[in-house]
Amino acid sequence: MRCYLHAFLLCVVFTFFSLLYVFSQLASTLEDRGEWGGVDDGTPGRSAQDTGHVLRKTPSLAGLGDREPGLDRCKSLSVSYWKPYWRLPADVCGVNCFLESSLSDRSGSVAKEHHDERSHLAVVACGPRLEETLTMLKSALLFSQKPLHFYIFAEDELHESFRDALELWPRTFQAKFTFTIYPITFPKKNAEEWKKLFKPCASQRLFLPLILKEVDSLLYVDTDILFLQPVENIWALLSRFNTSHLAAMAPEHEEPRIGWYNRFARHPYYGKTGINSGVMLMNMTKIRQKFFKNDMTAFPLTWEEILMPLLQKYKLNITWGDQDLLNIIFYHNPESLFVFPCQWNYRPDHCIYGSNCQQAEEEGVFILHGNRGVYHNDKQPAFRAVYEAIKKYPFGENMETSLLQPLEASLQTTTNTYCGRVSHLFTKKLKQSISSVHQEKMMDITSK
């Protein structure tokens, strides 16, 4: 009996200190936020038609007294953190110092989603990811018929390279998109820990709803994504969200026997095999408004309140970084996730041991995800062939002869691999996309 009593007392003490720790984390979060309580969030600036810039914001009240008269740029471009959970002060790069597309004939306001026909696409690039990211953006642009806005989060040393590359693209293609380049920003506390979680800067995606407060909805993709159909097609899935849905992702695996989460995870995860966050469609307004159930407190927490305590609790048990944290969040809030089929996030796992994505077999691959570096090694030559074909395609050339035919020839050499044997799935939707682009061009010529 005495042993049971001791065990009970130990459990009580452990529970007490666990709750104490969680409340201390929450108190720290609220205290940090309180320091910025007097800062005005600013209001969305004028449209690109008025200013020649996109996403220009009125300076917030804080810091204005310290500014030099007439100073319209910030102190330094080098910023690697931000105060949780707020945007950067007005005199620091991040609010008024983003590198922006400069074409003044582009109209529309990022803040007014209801009148904005653009699809909003975000990516995070750190390290040697410039070329890969540009190829992803190129694929998004080639097949989309509606305008796009790119939110590019990158290390400081990549900013000018991105801007120079994008502004070298032909003017006819530049007319189809706008872009904004942001610094990598993490909460000041544990900034290095967040930055190095899984891959450099990958966890930046967790903070997009808190940084891009004026953006209603957003499609986040990894740098190793290739669009094989118009971006507006996945953007249209937002209309299929019910009142509870606030994000959409694909399952991590279709086949439980080769699944990672169901075999190895040491933390909660969504569904039977977890979710993959390489393609993540978000209604960020709903994310900011939602109170999330969790296993740390008896009451729900907002997105800005839950991230730091979640990392502290599970950082020794997670392998895939921010993706694991998302799995934990949606394990406790499954009603909030819209799950789209695997052809929207097609990875080597879907064909490496034989084809296991039924939707891709029926309709083709919509979005190709070359994770594990397969675009840059010889492990999955079929994936690499698609990447090389899009990267080398010259803007404005006939896509049938300059993209599709060279790609099909390359894929013929990959049939010694499982993925190569189903490579017709890679071109099935691509052929339709190229045909649609050609038809659109012919209609434009006819109308003129």
Side-chain angles (χ1 to χ4, degrees), residues 46-187:
R46 293 168 291 176
S47 70
Q49 188 175 19
D50 298 326
T51 66
H53 294 288
V54 179
L55 205 62
R56 194 66 167 176
K57 290 188 67 66
T58 302
S60 59
L61 299 179
L64 288 180
D66 300 329
R67 284 171 171 261
E68 298 174 14
L71 184 64
D72 64 353
R73 304 300 287 172
C74 58
K75 293 179 179 177
S76 170
L77 188 64
S78 181
V79 175
S80 60
Y81 63 86
W82 59 293
K83 273 282 191 181
Y85 287 99
W86 202 148
R87 60 177 61 253
L88 298 168
D91 60 348
V92 178
C93 212
V95 172
N96 298 309
C97 239
F98 301 136
L99 293 177
E100 300 161 318
S101 49
S102 58
L103 300 182
S104 59
D105 59 346
R106 299 175 183 180
S107 62
S109 170
V110 174
K112 297 181 179 180
E113 300 287 333
H114 297 296
H115 306 289
D116 191 353
E117 65 174 347
R118 295 178 294 177
S119 300
H120 297 261
L121 179 64
V123 65
V124 178
C126 285
R129 298 281 182 168
L130 175 66
E131 183 181 72
E132 186 175 88
T133 306
L134 288 170
T135 303
M136 180 277 293
L137 296 174
K138 183 180 181 181
S139 73
L141 191 60
L142 286 177
F143 310 116
S144 295
Q145 297 179 17
K146 292 186 177 181
L148 300 165
H149 184 81
F150 300 144
Y151 302 82
I152 304 169
F153 288 78
E155 292 175 308
D156 294 350
E157 54 268 28
L158 295 177
H159 286 195
E160 290 297 339
S161 297
F162 270 114
R163 182 169 189 171
D164 292 344
L166 291 172
E167 293 188 345
L168 282 175
W169 286 2
R171 302 292 280 189
T172 53
F173 286 90
Q174 286 193 28
K176 296 170 60 179
F177 75 95
T178 51
F179 69 91
T180 314
I181 301 176
Y182 298 80
I184 298 297
T185 55
F186 289 106

Side-chain angles (χ1 to χ4, degrees), residues 196-209:
K196 295 177 181 178
L197 190 64
F198 183 44
K199 291 181 180 179
C201 307
S203 60
Q204 179 77 93
R205 83 187 84 183
L206 295 176
F207 301 97
L208 296 181

Side-chain angles (χ1 to χ4, degrees), residues 114-391:
H114 297 296
H115 306 289
D116 191 353
E117 65 174 347
R118 295 178 294 177
S119 300
H120 297 261
L121 179 64
V123 65
V124 178
C126 285
R129 298 281 182 168
L130 175 66
E131 183 181 72
E132 186 175 88
T133 306
L134 288 170
T135 303
M136 180 277 293
L137 296 174
K138 183 180 181 181
S139 73
L141 191 60
L142 286 177
F143 310 116
S144 295
Q145 297 179 17
K146 292 186 177 181
L148 300 165
H149 184 81
F150 300 144
Y151 302 82
I152 304 169
F153 288 78
E155 292 175 308
D156 294 350
E157 54 268 28
L158 295 177
H159 286 195
E160 290 297 339
S161 297
F162 270 114
R163 182 169 189 171
D164 292 344
L166 291 172
E167 293 188 345
L168 282 175
W169 286 2
R171 302 292 280 189
T172 53
F173 286 90
Q174 286 193 28
K176 296 170 60 179
F177 75 95
T178 51
F179 69 91
T180 314
I181 301 176
Y182 298 80
I184 298 297
T185 55
F186 289 106
K188 184 175 182 179
K189 186 176 181 180
N190 304 105
E192 286 304 310
E193 190 172 11
W194 280 115
K195 186 172 183 178
K196 295 177 181 178
L197 190 64
F198 183 44
K199 291 181 180 179
C201 307
S203 60
Q204 179 77 93
R205 83 187 84 183
L206 295 176
F207 301 97
L208 296 181
L210 308 178
I211 299 173
L212 302 176
K213 291 189 175 183
E214 68 287 340
V215 179
D216 176 69
S217 297
L218 188 73
L219 173 63
Y220 166 86
V221 296
D222 287 346
T223 60
D224 51 10
I225 291 296
L226 291 172
F227 291 91
L228 304 182
Q229 65 163 4
V231 175
E232 56 261 28
N233 288 9
I234 187 170
W235 189 256
L237 294 180
L238 287 167
S239 65
R240 295 173 57 182
F241 281 21
N242 64 26
T243 55
S244 299
H245 293 147
L246 49 79
M249 284 176 272
E252 173 67 15
H253 287 282
E254 302 301 310
E255 175 52 67
R257 288 176 296 179
I258 62 172
W260 194 92
Y261 284 110
N262 55 295
R263 293 188 296 160
F264 305 116
R266 296 179 293 157
H267 57 79
Y269 57 89
Y270 178 88
K272 294 182 178 179
T273 59
I275 46 176
N276 184 281
S277 59
V279 179
M280 184 177 178
L281 184 63
M282 295 177 279
N283 183 318
M284 299 206 298
T285 298
K286 285 187 176 182
I287 289 176
R288 288 185 288 264
Q289 294 172 347
K290 167 81 173 177
F291 286 87
F292 294 86
K293 300 186 291 291
N294 62 88
D295 58 1
M296 298 174 294
T297 66
F299 49 88
L301 302 173
T302 64
W303 190 261
E304 62 182 2
E305 294 168 342
I306 200 173
L307 295 179
M308 186 65 73
L310 199 65
L311 175 65
Q312 295 303 319
K313 177 173 181 177
Y314 285 105
K315 63 182 177 181
L316 299 180
N317 295 331
I318 57 178
T319 302
W320 308 114
D322 55 304
Q323 178 173 290
D324 291 345
L325 297 182
L326 289 168
N327 266 279
I328 296 168
I329 290 173
F330 288 108
Y331 168 83
H332 294 289
N333 301 270
E335 74 286 350
S336 297
L337 187 67
F338 178 92
V339 180
F340 49 64
C342 48
Q343 79 258 47
W344 295 98
N345 186 351
Y346 191 93
R347 286 158 277 124
D349 286 338
H350 292 119
C351 55
I352 192 172
Y353 303 116
S355 182
N356 61 56
C357 178
Q358 182 179 348
Q359 292 87 349
E361 292 177 3
E362 296 172 356
E363 302 177 278
V365 175
F366 295 172
I367 295 176
L368 199 68
H369 187 177
N371 62 343
R372 302 183 189 137
V374 295
Y375 294 151
H376 313 292
N377 59 44
D378 297 323
K379 293 182 178 179
Q380 295 298 332
F383 280 77
R384 184 171 184 172
V386 180
Y387 175 80
E388 291 293 331
I390 293 176
K391 184 182 74 171

